[in-house]
Amino acid sequence: MSLAVLWLALGSSGATRARDVLDPGILVRWGLPTATTVHHLAMSITWAGLVFATTVVPRSIPATGAGRPRVEHPAFARAMTVTAAAAAVWTLAAVAIIVLSYADTIGTPVSGSPEFTGQLGYYVTRLIPGQAWAVTAVMAALTTTLAVLARSPQLVAATTVVALAAVVPLSQLGHVAGVDDHNGAVNALALHLLGAGIWTGGIIVLALLTPLLTTRHAGQQSTHRVLVRFSALAGAAFVLVTVSGVINTVYRIGGWDGLDSGYGALVIAKTIATLALGVLGYLNRRAITARPPALGRVWRLITVEALILCAVMALGVALGRTPTPVPREREPDITDAEILTGYLLPPPLSATEWFTQWRFDWLWIAVAILAAVLYLAGVRRLHRAGTPWPAARTVAFLAGLVLLVYVTCGAMAIYAPILFSIHTTAHLLLAFPVPLLLIAGAPGRLAAALVPARTDGSTGWRELTTRWRTSRAGVLLARPVPAAILVLAGLGVSYYTPVFALALHTHVGHELMNTTAIALGLIFAATVLSPPRDRAAVHTRALTLVAVPGALGAWAAAIALSPMMVQPEWFSGLGRDWGPSPLADQQSAASSILLTGALPLLAAALAVLARGHHPATPDIDNGIVKDTHHG
């Protein structure tokens, strides 16, 4: 189905016509999109198989006989087998694409001649498409190896992370390379690939596991749980695919006139198929999960969605081979700021620019929207059940998300690569105020009130948090002092190791730096804001919240007095002709460190002392009120 739609789309769009010059031949013109389709399908099945094995299908079933251990569930075993096989195909397809894309780039048919093979190593190690496909092939091979060996929950989860991380190199490819907002387009494409991959692969994996889920021994309750979990997963993937697809289309097509082209026709066809798939899938899953599951109804769900999904994926591959209305090659970077950052130098930073300058980071927008929807839906469920939830918590959590979006998408995101003072401001906001506000919203307590514990061995929210709290790292970092040392060490590594240069020069490094700041900040905030068990714990948390600002004050003093610049080649080479000198700007970062780092922590210390110790504070655990200490 996928190949039929692919070949029809390629033929109608003219993407496989022979070139007037440097034609790579019919094998490359048709073989490259075919190999890409196989690659995407195999990768999707690999992703979905790992996600199913981690969080969707039962992991084990009780063994017959008293005292015997639980045995591996057949659905879990098949999910891992399917994953290993798909990952092997994924690896071979990625290797084939390396050769075919190299031939397409140099305009030469595939051969074993020295002229063809001579520059293949240069293509793989020096050019972005070759590097991206080479990294993808390595990650696919590593996933294959791990999928064969993995059986423990920890190793399966690690394999899932490795496999999903392949979206990073793949997001560097495609038509996004030619748009003005390259970083925003890369993030939108990454989200699109993740949503489409998990959705498409999920349907196929569900089809392969259905015979094991609809037998008499599987149990209707277990089957129903799997379908409900997949329904939630597919719904989230549909929203992600639709929204990110619209964003990618806006980047590539330019305007409404762009729809009147071969590329525009494929966009319209793909959009109609995606929306139809979403509606049909929702109606099918709603009907199936409302009644006891039966093999016929499950297969109806699978057949309809699988056919349309294969067509959608093929149309996506065809779009990648079709010229866009917006030229793929943008004007070369000519200014110093463009060469270093990929963007024109922004205007001088004034009061107006703090509100008018925006560059959307779709990754963090998606995270914020998803978190807000889940949180508000949870609060609504509690209110419907008659359980009160303090409005102050909701306000704090939403304020943290708003601040997160502003820091990653507003003026700070634009001026952080230009001014060291703004960079430290943004980084400290992500490390301290944003996590403090989010944890003050008590999302862990809300999840504990609504999310039931799983008994089938799969991993959900409660199981994940329990494993963290009981792990060695979780037990250690539940203490304020180690958590404070970790977050301060993270700041030191971020600014005084090659990590800072990586964050300035690469988009991936920038996102990793932001992610690390938020993650370490959440660990620290969860520790110092967790309900204390006695008065000594109150004092320990308050002292820690005072000690960290002391360390930040020492850093601010060192910055203010230092005659040495951090990353002088970068900040002095931007060609900035407004504002303070790079050294003066760096020294002024001392005040931003105190304002955005020290002051919020001191305010949190006062809040901890004011709250004091309440040993009998009631909490809610899956609808049952009891005394607990959720972080």
Side-chain angles (χ1 to χ4, degrees):
M1 177 67 178
S2 290
L3 295 179
V5 174
L6 172 68
W7 292 335
L8 178 62
L10 289 173
S12 62
S13 66
T16 55
R17 295 189 187 126
R19 302 176 190 171
D20 295 332
V21 294
L22 297 177
D23 181 44
I26 189 172
L27 174 63
V28 175
R29 293 199 308 269
W30 288 92
L32 181 56
T34 301
T36 304
T37 301
V38 173
H39 171 276
H40 287 0
L41 278 173
M43 181 181 68
S44 298
I45 295 171
T46 303
W47 286 356
L50 288 168
V51 171
F52 266 64
T54 302
T55 189
V56 176
V57 298
R59 183 178 184 83
S60 58
I61 55 177
T64 57
R68 291 188 178 183
R70 299 172 69 94
V71 297
E72 190 174 77
H73 196 286
F76 172 81
R78 180 173 292 185
M80 293 305 300
T81 301
V82 168
T83 296
V89 176
W90 176 21
T91 304
L92 295 175
V95 173
I97 290 173
I98 292 175
V99 177
L100 294 171
S101 63
Y102 167 64
D104 186 58
T105 300
I106 64 176
T108 302
V110 176
S111 69
S113 65
E115 292 79 8
F116 180 82
T117 59
Q119 296 298 317
L120 182 57
Y122 179 85
Y123 174 76
V124 169
T125 58
R126 298 293 181 180
L127 298 183
I128 291 178
Q131 292 173 337
W133 283 116
V135 172
T136 302
V138 171
M139 299 178 78
L142 179 59
T143 301
T144 304
T145 304
L146 292 174
V148 172
L149 301 175
R151 281 301 180 269
S152 68
Q154 294 79 8
L155 193 53
V156 173
T159 307
T160 306
V161 173
V162 171
L164 293 177
V167 75
V168 175
L170 290 175
S171 64
Q172 308 296 318
L173 302 168
H175 293 308
V176 298
V179 302
D180 292 331
D181 185 9
H182 175 72
N183 292 341
V186 164
N187 282 354
L189 180 57
L191 294 173
H192 192 72
L193 289 172
L194 280 175
I198 294 176
W199 190 11
T200 305
I203 290 292
I204 298 172
V205 171
L206 182 62
L208 296 173
L209 301 185
T210 291
L212 299 177
L213 295 171
T214 52
T215 62
R216 290 182 308 164
H217 304 288
Q220 290 186 352
Q221 186 178 5
S222 176
T223 306
H224 184 268
R225 283 198 299 262
V226 170
L227 292 175
V228 169
R229 292 169 189 170
F230 173 72
S231 180
L233 184 67
F238 168 73
V239 174
L240 197 60
V241 168
T242 304
V243 175
S244 61
V246 171
I247 296 168
N248 279 309
T249 300
V250 172
Y251 277 126
R252 298 171 179 177
I253 211 165
W256 293 108
D257 295 339
L259 294 175
D260 188 19
S261 63
Y263 187 89
L266 292 178
V267 166
I268 294 173
K270 185 181 178 185
T271 302
I272 293 174
T274 303
L275 294 177
L277 178 61
V279 174
L280 289 174
Y282 170 75
L283 295 176
N284 273 335
R285 281 188 294 273
R286 185 175 180 181
I288 291 172
T289 56
R291 292 177 290 176
L295 184 59
R297 288 195 294 270
V298 175
W299 273 113
R300 183 183 65 189
L301 161 69
I302 293 170
T303 303
V304 173
E305 294 200 31
L307 290 175
I308 302 178
L309 267 173
C310 290
V312 170
M313 177 167 285
L315 289 172
V317 173
L319 280 169
R321 297 289 297 169
T322 305
T324 61
V326 176
R328 188 169 180 175
E329 298 296 332
R330 69 175 187 176
E331 294 297 323
D333 298 331
I334 56 174
T335 66
D336 294 333
E338 280 184 292
I339 293 171
L340 288 176
T341 68
Y343 296 93
L344 289 170
L345 190 71
L349 183 58
S350 63
T352 303
E353 271 63 41
W354 283 105
F355 302 98
T356 59
Q357 293 292 321
W358 291 85
R359 183 182 298 147
F360 296 116
D361 189 326
W362 301 108
L363 172 64
W364 295 111
I365 290 176
V367 169
I369 292 176
L370 178 62
V373 169
L374 292 176
Y375 189 93
L376 292 176
V379 172
R380 184 181 181 186
R381 284 182 59 188
L382 282 185
H383 283 312
R384 284 184 172 181
T387 304
W389 185 258
R393 290 179 180 174
T394 304
V395 171
F397 189 81
L398 295 180
L401 294 179
V402 170
L403 183 58
L404 170 64
V405 171
Y406 178 75
V407 172
T408 55
C409 302
M412 290 186 184
I414 296 176
Y415 288 92
I418 309 300
L419 299 169
F420 182 84
S421 59
I422 302 300
H423 198 290
T424 54
T425 299
H427 192 76
L428 289 173
L429 285 173
L430 293 178
F432 295 114
V434 168
L436 288 171
L437 287 170
L438 293 178
I439 296 300
R445 296 186 184 186
L446 183 61
L450 298 170
V451 180
R454 297 188 179 188
T455 59
D456 57 5
S458 62
T459 302
W461 169 261
R462 294 175 69 97
E463 291 71 30
L464 185 64
T465 54
T466 299
R467 287 173 186 168
W468 165 253
R469 287 198 302 264
T470 56
S471 66
R472 291 184 179 180
V475 171
L476 177 64
L477 295 176
R479 303 172 183 174
V481 174
I485 293 174
L486 178 65
V487 73
L488 290 174
L491 290 174
V493 170
S494 296
Y495 283 100
Y496 296 100
T497 68
V499 169
F500 191 29
L502 182 68
L504 291 174
H505 286 274
T506 67
H507 177 59
V508 174
H510 165 71
E511 296 292 8
L512 286 176
M513 189 173 183
N514 284 348
T515 303
T516 302
I518 295 171
L520 297 183
L522 286 173
I523 292 174
F524 175 72
T527 300
V528 296
L529 296 184
S530 63
R533 296 185 180 277
D534 49 41
R535 296 184 183 277
V538 174
H539 297 153
T540 301
R541 285 162 170 72
L543 287 174
T544 303
L545 285 167
V546 172
V548 174
L552 294 177
W555 183 33
I559 287 288
L561 300 175
S562 175
M564 302 292 293
M565 285 187 58
V566 178
Q567 293 296 319
E569 297 83 2
W570 177 277
F571 290 104
S572 298
L574 291 167
R576 178 168 57 86
D577 55 1
W578 49 261
S581 66
L583 180 58
D585 171 67
Q586 177 178 299
Q587 292 171 340
S588 69
S591 59
S592 67
I593 292 173
L594 296 175
L595 289 174
T596 58
L599 284 184
L601 292 173
L602 292 175
L606 293 176
V608 168
L609 289 173
R611 184 179 61 181
H613 169 52
H614 299 284
T617 301
D619 208 346
I620 310 167
D621 191 354
N622 195 24
I624 302 174
V625 179
K626 63 181 184 179
D627 294 338
T628 58
H629 291 279
H630 294 292

